[in-house]
Amino acid sequence: GDGGEPLWEDGVVASLTHKQGHVAVVQSRLDQTKGIGIDLESVAKVRLEFTHRICTESDRILLEKFPATEQQQILTTIFAAKEALYKCHFPLGAKQFYFQDAELDYFEANKGQLGLKVLRDTSPVTPRGSVTHGFFRQLDLGGLPHILALMSL
């Protein structure tokens, strides 16, 4: 598309991600899912010094509740989920938004589930305050930990 996003056939909603030779694609029928986004991130590449760029104040409070040894993995999860959220919402309204425009609504590390609340309108079907639900998993790819996040409406 005009923004560099992939174009899918009519009636299909889909997303893709790729990192260091690994690719993941997810798709659904448009009558079952309004939007879907997927992202894969290397834990080693998302450094704690990026926290203020990625997280809102509310996100930072949650992040600080985790032991220091887990914070980089949690930060990577937040980053991947927000990237997946963008991929999920952007095709619905073509509105640019940034990391600070969404924050965690809930985070269940033991279940691999989270919700992101948008802090401004991101599309006609995702007004300010709406929550998009998602899932995440840690994967070992090439001996390195990665986070795979999926957000869907």
Side-chain angles (χ1 to χ4, degrees), residues 1 9 19-20 22-23 37 58 96-97 102 120 123 133 142 151:
E9 65 183 73
K19 285 281 181 287
Q20 302 158 337
H22 302 282
V23 177
S58 176
Q96 296 286 334
F97 63 99
R120 68 185 200 93
S123 80
H133 306 282
M151 303 299 292

Side-chain angles (χ1 to χ4, degrees), residues 35-56:
I36 198 163
I38 192 169
D39 192 56
L40 178 66
E41 296 296 337
S42 167
V43 174
K45 302 273 182 176
V46 181
R47 297 191 205 110
L48 288 173
E49 51 265 28
F50 302 155
T51 300
H52 290 285
R53 292 183 193 167
I54 298 167
C55 294
T56 64

Side-chain angles (χ1 to χ4, degrees), residues 64-89:
E64 291 169 1
K65 290 181 181 179
F66 285 88
T69 55
E70 296 177 23
Q71 288 182 8
Q72 187 172 5
Q73 179 179 333
I74 301 301
L75 180 62
T76 304
T77 302
I78 296 168
F79 178 76
K82 288 185 178 188
E83 287 283 324
L85 180 77
Y86 184 85
K87 294 175 183 182
C88 180
H89 288 207

